[in-house]
Amino acid sequence: MLTLLVGLLYLVSGRAVRSQDATGSRFVCNAIPPGAEPGCGYNPTGNRVQSSTPVEDELRNTIIQLRETILQQKETIVSQQGTIKELNSKLARCEAAADESTQGKSRGQGSRRKELGKNTMGDLPRDPGETIDQLGKTMQSLKGRLENLEQQSLRLPTTNVSAGGVSALAPLPPELRDLLRQRLGALETQLLRKVAELEEEKSQLYNETAAHRQRTENTLNSLLERITELEKSNSAFKSPEDFKVSLPLRTNYLYGRIKKSLPEMYAFTVCMWLKSSASPGIGTPFSYGVPGQANEIVLIEWGNNPIELLVNDKVAQLPLSVSDGRWHHICITWTTRDGFWEAYQDGERLGTGDNLAPWHPIKPGGVIILGQEQDIVGGRFDATQAFVGELSQFNMWDRVLRPVDIVGLANCSAYMPGNVVPWIDANVEVFGGASKAALEICEDRAFDS
């Protein structure tokens, strides 16, 4: 009985195994040698099973070509990264050169590069113009190098395989080409911006240098004129400005003349010391006439009228009174803006006004006459308008002086000669019996008072 049961179990298990083999699948696992390609057939001993199927050969060649393509693209990207690093280095040198050109003016030539024997491919030239040219050449060189890289990348093989199993030539993936173009565009934009900044900086430096040179030349010219005037001054006076002009008679032939003329001005201040007891009216202390307008600037007291200031033949009455036979310091300021004027006597502002020839510029190239009113430029005087008395320290500026400056001139605590017309012996001529005599105005004024 036991033997029969064992036999039945053996028969049942055998049928189950045969039915599984008929309906299921069997998987056989073989070992793959290290470094071998997966997916290829190997026998149980580890030897590769050679297949002669054309499809498998084609796929194998495709995989090899893909690997070569990836390696070549990797080398191209590494080369492009080096180019980008070189461009960033050059941009940093451009920024350093811009800082050096800004600060290098004060440091002088000592801070320049001295390594002249080296290969300074990336060094910047000393002159800003050469810097711009060098940047342009560098940019063109970099563009050429990147274009060469792109052309080389066009010759790299692709994954397309012809029917005969031979790969065809095709460009790099569009993403890589777009990335290269974007990098090239960004670098070109940065270089162009840096070139524009250098050009602007060069222009600013040139303008600042030209302005500084012009100011220096003007100062030197003023000093040279001052030295020349001092050298030509009359030795009879203690100082070339310590003198007076005397006009003792009311005639049409006694007058003084200032050798210097005026530039075009949009404001002025004229100050002087004068002494007169003439009546009626002290006459015309000074007048400035230009071609086409004999009354460009006139200070006059005629008859019983108050003292008047004329600008371009327009009139303003001044609240001044100086006909008491004593020395008085008077200053008149005017600006073309709204025609605003001020009148000072002995350092005190006595009156102001506006709308006196507003927005009119004082014309240049005229003649300044002391003691007479001009009907034509430099002549045709009227005796009834002549000044009778003494004048000194006639100075003129092309700006409005501050009240504190005028007070300093009036109380003799400041010496400030006019920047357009200074009171200098060599600058004043006298005619018709007018005379010049030594005068130290502050001492004589103290004695007079």
Side-chain angles (χ1 to χ4, degrees):
M1 188 64 182
L2 180 60
T3 304
L4 179 60
L5 292 173
V6 171
L8 290 174
L9 291 172
Y10 179 78
L11 289 174
V12 172
S13 61
R15 290 179 180 177
V17 170
R18 283 194 299 270
S19 63
Q20 184 178 1
D21 292 340
T23 60
S25 298
R26 292 191 302 167
F27 297 94
V28 180
C29 297
N30 295 326
I32 298 176
E37 297 180 3
C40 299
Y42 289 86
N43 58 20
T45 62
N47 296 325
R48 183 171 180 176
V49 178
Q50 301 295 328
S51 175
S52 59
T53 304
V55 176
E56 293 180 357
D57 293 338
E58 183 177 347
L59 291 175
R60 187 179 303 109
N61 292 332
T62 300
I63 293 172
I64 294 173
Q65 291 171 1
L66 280 173
R67 285 187 172 186
E68 294 177 355
T69 301
I70 292 172
L71 291 176
Q72 291 176 355
Q73 290 181 355
K74 182 178 180 181
E75 293 176 357
T76 301
I77 291 173
V78 171
S79 176
Q80 290 169 355
Q81 288 176 347
T83 302
I84 291 171
K85 290 181 180 179
E86 184 178 354
L87 287 173
N88 289 332
S89 176
K90 289 184 182 293
L91 289 175
R93 292 186 181 187
C94 290
E95 294 173 353
D99 295 337
E100 182 179 355
S101 63
T102 302
Q103 302 175 358
K105 296 297 181 178
S106 60
R107 293 198 302 266
Q109 297 296 330
S111 62
R112 303 275 188 190
R113 295 179 180 268
K114 298 183 179 179
E115 300 177 0
L116 301 178
K118 296 173 59 179
N119 177 19
T120 56
M121 170 184 172
D123 291 345
L124 295 173
R126 297 179 179 181
D127 184 70
E130 297 178 4
T131 302
I132 294 172
D133 295 338
Q134 184 68 23
L135 283 175
K137 294 177 181 178
T138 302
M139 183 177 68
Q140 293 299 328
S141 175
L142 293 174
K143 288 177 65 176
R145 291 172 63 182
L146 290 177
E147 289 173 356
N148 290 336
L149 289 173
E150 187 174 9
Q151 291 176 1
Q152 292 176 5
S153 68
L154 292 176
R155 296 193 291 270
L156 295 177
T158 184
T159 59
N160 296 331
V161 182
S162 63
V166 181
S167 61
L169 296 178
L172 287 173
E175 295 81 3
L176 184 57
R177 287 203 309 272
D178 293 340
L179 178 62
L180 289 175
R181 290 189 181 123
Q182 291 175 3
R183 290 291 179 87
L184 177 62
L187 293 173
E188 184 176 0
T189 301
Q190 292 177 6
L191 287 175
L192 290 175
R193 183 170 63 249
K194 182 59 65 176
V195 169
E197 291 175 357
L198 288 175
E199 288 179 346
E200 182 179 359
E201 181 182 356
K202 177 183 176 182
S203 177
Q204 292 176 354
L205 290 175
Y206 176 80
N207 293 336
E208 292 176 359
T209 303
H212 179 71
R213 182 168 57 248
Q214 184 64 37
R215 290 194 299 268
T216 303
E217 290 177 355
N218 292 338
T219 302
L220 290 176
N221 290 335
S222 299
L223 291 174
L224 289 174
E225 291 179 2
R226 175 67 172 167
I227 292 172
T228 302
E229 291 169 351
L230 290 175
E231 290 175 347
K232 295 180 179 180
S233 63
N234 192 337
S235 59
F237 302 145
K238 181 178 180 180
S239 181
E241 68 272 3
D242 289 337
F243 72 99
K244 64 181 179 179
V245 171
S246 296
L247 303 165
L249 300 175
R250 196 184 292 275
T251 70
N252 62 353
Y253 53 84
L254 272 75
Y255 66 96
R257 176 173 177 153
I258 304 295
K259 294 181 180 180
K260 296 188 67 173
S261 186
L262 300 180
E264 184 178 50
M265 299 187 301
Y266 298 91
F268 68 79
T269 299
V270 57
C271 295
M272 72 191 80
W273 286 93
L274 57 83
K275 180 180 180 180
S276 177
S277 58
S279 180
I282 63 172
T284 307
F286 86 97
S287 63
Y288 173 67
V290 297
Q293 181 53 269
N295 294 328
E296 186 70 1
I297 307 175
V298 180
L299 184 66
I300 184 172
E301 185 182 51
W302 187 20
N304 294 320
N305 297 317
I307 295 180
E308 295 176 339
L309 173 65
L310 281 68
V311 176
N312 192 31
D313 209 26
K314 306 300 186 295
V315 181
Q317 295 184 345
L318 311 182
L320 304 179
S321 178
V322 295
S323 59
D324 57 358
R326 297 176 180 272
W327 282 108
H328 293 281
H329 184 266
I330 64 172
C331 280
I332 310 297
T333 72
W334 174 89
T335 177
T336 186
R337 183 180 179 85
D338 296 328
F340 183 77
W341 57 267
E342 300 172 301
Y344 292 81
Q345 179 173 325
D346 298 327
E348 182 182 359
R349 188 171 69 175
L350 299 183
T352 63
D354 57 11
N355 203 33
L356 176 59
W359 314 111
H360 169 76
I362 301 299
K363 297 176 182 177
V367 176
I368 301 176
I369 297 294
L370 301 179
Q372 297 285 352
E373 189 270 340
Q374 307 170 57
D375 287 337
I376 61 172
V377 177
R380 195 182 292 173
F381 305 137
D382 184 350
T384 62
Q385 297 174 333
F387 174 77
V388 179
E390 297 175 324
L391 287 170
S392 183
Q393 299 296 321
F394 179 90
N395 290 280
M396 201 164 190
W397 298 261
D398 59 357
R399 64 184 187 277
V400 175
L401 293 186
R402 300 176 303 169
V404 64
D405 296 328
I406 295 175
V407 171
L409 293 172
N411 61 23
C412 297
S413 62
Y415 173 70
M416 188 169 59
N419 67 328
V420 291
V421 177
W423 181 252
I424 300 293
D425 177 28
N427 197 33
V428 180
E429 300 175 304
V430 292
F431 301 91
S435 62
K436 293 193 290 186
L439 173 70
E440 294 185 15
I441 184 63
C442 294
E443 295 181 3
D444 190 82
R445 175 174 175 268
F447 178 78
D448 184 53
S449 61

